[in-house]
Amino acid sequence: KAGVTQTPRYLIKTRGQQVTLSCSPISGHRSVSWYQQTPGQGLQFLFEYFSETQRNKGNFPGRFSGRQFSNSRSEMNVSTLELGDSALYLCASSLRGGSSNEQFFGPGTRLTVL
Amino acid sequence: GESVGLHLPTLSVQEGDNSIINCAYSNSASDYFIWYKQESGKGPQFIIDIRSNMDKRQGQRVTVLLNKTVKHLSLQIAATQPGDSAVYFCAETMDSSYKLIFGSGTRLLVRP
């Protein structure tokens, strides 16, 4: 079974631009969560999507948004990029509703904002 | 490889020794806890989990201990191997939520 895939793996943008990151969950998984990882703040929850609806949201500004498609693939968007948005963005998928709520992480997208 | 964290506490152990990694969690209402391992350039990988109705759970070479009184979690790795070198994170959540709250992480270095 293929794992969680994220594209692109690396991205360089400049301040003020916007970016879209993509995540394909494990086949059969319907929940997708997004996390931001930085050396200073560690791993922080952004949001979770299930059945195309946002179920949970972390403490990030409205510049961070996401969506989920009917095939469970998810995208997250960051608008008006700031230098502090440079981070590793991780996506995790889960069955949601199964006997375990184990989350499986992808390799991440490394975003650098110049 | 990519640096996960520049100022993580580091535990250095000799190959073959046992390792103990500790974590203080934040929310007394959390009822599900997970340990993740993150190697350079990769996403976190599930190691073991425990629910709040247990105080100990064993896996293959790993044991997780939960002390709810002091909100403390530990991960014990038996016979530590070079492949165990990584950053280890604890995470907490309430079972009905898929929002994981991660600890700051500990870097484990295994000396050959």
Side-chain angles (χ1 to χ4, degrees):
Chain A
K1 202 182 231 186
V4 177
T5 57
Q6 293 187 244
T7 57
R9 289 295 312 278
Y10 301 91
L11 206 48
I12 299 175
K13 292 285 188 179
T14 56
R15 279 180 298 174
Q17 287 187 310
Q18 68 91 28
V19 68
T20 299
L21 311 181
S22 181
C23 171
S24 292
I26 292 171
S27 177
H29 285 193
R30 298 169 61 198
S31 166
V32 173
S33 298
W34 289 89
Y35 293 83
Q36 183 197 62
Q37 185 172 29
T38 60
Q41 299 298 318
L43 277 150
Q44 292 186 290
F45 174 82
L46 280 155
F47 26 64
E48 184 225 350
Y49 286 87
F50 174 70
S51 292
E52 302 175 64
T53 302
Q54 188 180 91
R55 303 290 176 151
N56 246 313
K57 190 177 190 307
N59 296 323
F60 280 82
R63 299 186 297 109
F64 291 81
S65 62
R67 59 177 175 167
Q68 186 180 34
F69 302 94
S70 58
N71 62 357
S72 296
R73 190 177 70 84
S74 177
E75 289 181 346
M76 69 162 281
N77 185 78
V78 189
S79 62
T80 320
L81 284 166
E82 300 176 1
L83 295 179
D85 297 333
S86 295
L88 182 67
Y89 289 90
L90 292 157
C91 162
S93 78
S94 178
L95 273 172
R96 214 183 208 275
S99 58
S100 165
N101 53 351
E102 180 180 345
Q103 296 188 36
F104 296 82
F105 283 83
T109 294
R110 169 70 63 183
L111 172 64
T112 302
V113 182
L114 302 176
Chain B
E2 297 161 348
S3 173
V4 171
L6 298 177
H7 305 293
L8 292 173
T10 298
L11 174 66
S12 179
V13 300
Q14 192 74 36
E15 181 179 355
D17 286 353
N18 297 334
S19 303
I20 299 176
I21 300 171
N22 296 304
C23 172
Y25 65 90
S26 60
N27 188 351
S28 55
S30 294
D31 56 12
Y32 180 59
F33 306 88
I34 313 105
W35 279 100
Y36 283 94
K37 170 186 180 183
Q38 188 173 25
E39 297 173 285
S40 183
K42 298 183 180 179
Q45 176 188 1
F46 174 94
I47 301 173
I48 191 168
D49 60 0
I50 188 168
R51 299 193 183 277
S52 59
N53 61 353
M54 304 172 70
D55 52 23
K56 180 179 179 179
R57 188 159 189 236
Q58 289 183 287
Q60 187 177 12
R61 280 202 309 120
V62 294
T63 300
V64 55
L65 299 177
L66 173 62
N67 185 332
K68 294 183 288 293
T69 303
V70 294
K71 294 194 292 185
H72 183 267
L73 203 59
S74 69
L75 176 70
Q76 301 177 359
I77 304 174
T80 313
Q81 301 169 358
D84 295 327
S85 292
V87 177
Y88 289 80
F89 293 96
C90 66
E92 60 182 293
T93 188
M94 287 185 283
D95 209 7
S96 58
S97 166
Y98 281 72
K99 174 182 177 178
L100 293 174
I101 299 171
F102 282 86
S104 55
T106 297
R107 189 182 307 276
L108 176 65
L109 293 176
V110 182
R111 305 187 303 272

